[in-house]
Amino acid sequence: MIEIELTEPKKSTCECCGGTTTNLTRFVYKDNDAFAIYYATFSDNHPDNAVVGIVSIGGWTTDEIPPERVAFPFEIWQNEDNFNVGLTNANESPWKDVDILGKVLDREEALSHPWIDDVFHITDHIVVDDLEVVNFFKLNPSAIN
Ligand SMILES: [Zn+2]
């Protein structure tokens, strides 16, 4: 069972356009144990209307950064009937240099990683349980394409 701890979002003014950027830091629990964290960001004023994020899995019950910890950069967008989740490459991720996330994987590495099912399990929850993300998509019907 996956649970997402919802903390206060950080809102800031986007340097490129003056829109509002929202940044989320979320802790994910699996069967009540710290399992993963993710970061997500989106803007109310960008034409792509996507949520950009990264999930980090591995050893989140300890304070160390264990060698097996890895991070999966992703994007979520919506079309008429559902949400799409795509993996992106490490160098496209705004968090590619954040050491605490572990090694940031490229798309191909991510897709063949044994934890990829956990990543999609978490993103399935993000679009249902993370109210900031849910509201962002509700408020952006123009994202339907
Ligand atoms: Zn902007």
Side-chain angles (χ1 to χ4, degrees), residues 27-49:
F27 298 91
V28 179
Y29 297 85
K30 187 177 190 180
D31 303 327
N32 295 318
D33 285 326
F35 178 66
I37 71 159
Y38 67 87
Y39 297 147
T41 186
F42 50 85
S43 166
D44 65 354
N45 197 38
H46 286 186
D48 57 1
N49 285 320

Side-chain angles (χ1 to χ4, degrees), residues 22-25 38-42 51-55 71-75 88-104:
T22 302
N23 279 287
L24 307 174
T25 299
Y38 67 87
Y39 297 147
T41 186
F42 50 85
V51 171
V52 175
I54 192 165
V55 175
F72 302 78
F74 66 87
E75 268 182 21
T88 60
N89 284 327
N91 62 9
E92 298 167 62
S93 174
W95 304 282
K96 61 177 185 286
D97 298 319
V98 181
D99 292 339
I100 196 175
L101 298 175
K103 182 178 186 242
V104 179

Side-chain angles (χ1 to χ4, degrees), residues 111-123:
L111 285 170
S112 59
H113 195 281
W115 296 343
I116 189 63
D117 290 344
D118 289 311
V119 174
F120 288 131
H121 188 189
I122 290 168
T123 56

Side-chain angles (χ1 to χ4, degrees), residues 76-79 81-85 127-128 133-134 137:
I76 303 175
W77 66 98
Q78 67 179 345
N79 62 19
D81 326 298
N82 58 343
F83 293 99
N84 297 298
V85 179
V127 297
V128 177
V133 173
V134 170
F137 283 121

